[in-house]
Amino acid sequence: MPTQDDMEEREAVFDRLRTTEWEIGQDDDAPKQLKESDAGAEEAASPPQSSSELAPFRNSAIYASRPPAMSIPLAWPFTLDGQRYRRIDIRPPARGDVEAVVSGALSELAMHSRMAGVSEAVMRALRWDDAEKVAVAARFLAPDLTDR
C-alpha cells in the first residue's frame, strides 16, 4: 500500500506533467508522402502488433473508446515503418498485464507499450527524454510494482 509520501510524490510528478510545455516545435522536415498520425489517438486505430508479441497475455476485450488518461507530446517526433509519431497516448493497464509483469512473464516495457497501444519497437525508438516522460506517465497510471 502506498504511503502518504508516495502519494504526494506521485501527485507532484503528475502536476509537473500537467504544467510542463512538451510541444517543442513542429517537424517540417518530414516527407509529405508519409502518413502522419498520433499514436493511440483512438484505441481501435492503434498500429497492428505482432501476434507473438501479445499472444500469451492480450485478452480479446474491446474497450469503449475514451480519451487517453495522459497524452505525451514528443520532443523528438519520429517515423517508424512509415508511421509518424508526434505523441504517445496512455491508458491504464489491463489487470492481466499487471499480473503478468508481477509474475515476470511480461516486461514493464511491454506493459507500457500495451498501455500506449503501440509496439515495443515504437517504445524503443523514443529518444531518452521522451521515453522517460512516457515511462513516468505509465508508472503513474499503473499500480506500484516495486514491492511485489
Side-chain angles (χ1 to χ4, degrees):
M1 186 79 175
T3 66
Q4 182 64 26
D5 289 339
D6 292 339
M7 296 302 291
E8 288 173 4
E9 182 180 340
R10 281 184 145 177
E11 195 57 39
V13 168
F14 191 60
D15 286 338
R16 280 196 309 273
L17 286 170
R18 276 194 298 242
T19 59
T20 302
E21 181 62 40
W22 300 112
E23 292 277 359
I24 301 300
Q26 298 297 323
D27 186 3
D28 295 325
D29 299 330
K32 298 299 179 199
Q33 74 272 15
L34 292 174
K35 177 183 172 190
E36 292 194 12
S37 79
D38 293 319
E42 236 182 87
E43 288 182 81
S46 63
Q49 299 172 342
S50 73
S51 60
S52 64
E53 185 178 323
L54 300 180
F57 310 107
R58 181 55 98 195
N59 63 34
S60 58
I62 299 172
Y63 297 96
S65 182
R66 291 183 56 179
M70 299 182 86
S71 185
I72 313 300
L74 300 177
W76 299 91
F78 63 95
T79 301
L80 182 67
D81 297 330
Q83 179 84 21
R84 188 80 179 145
Y85 297 92
R86 292 184 182 274
R87 75 173 195 236
I88 300 292
D89 291 338
I90 304 175
R91 291 171 175 80
R95 180 183 176 125
D97 288 345
V98 173
E99 291 171 347
V101 170
V102 169
S103 71
L106 187 69
S107 70
E108 187 177 15
L109 177 69
M111 182 177 74
H112 291 177
S113 70
R114 290 176 189 213
M115 292 169 68
V118 299
S119 69
E120 288 181 49
V122 170
M123 298 299 270
R124 286 187 177 99
L126 294 170
R127 294 283 184 161
W128 183 251
D129 54 340
D130 285 333
E132 191 170 39
K133 288 180 236 173
V134 170
V136 167
R139 288 177 183 142
F140 181 80
L141 292 173
D144 185 12
L145 302 172
T146 57
D147 296 331
R148 299 179 191 252

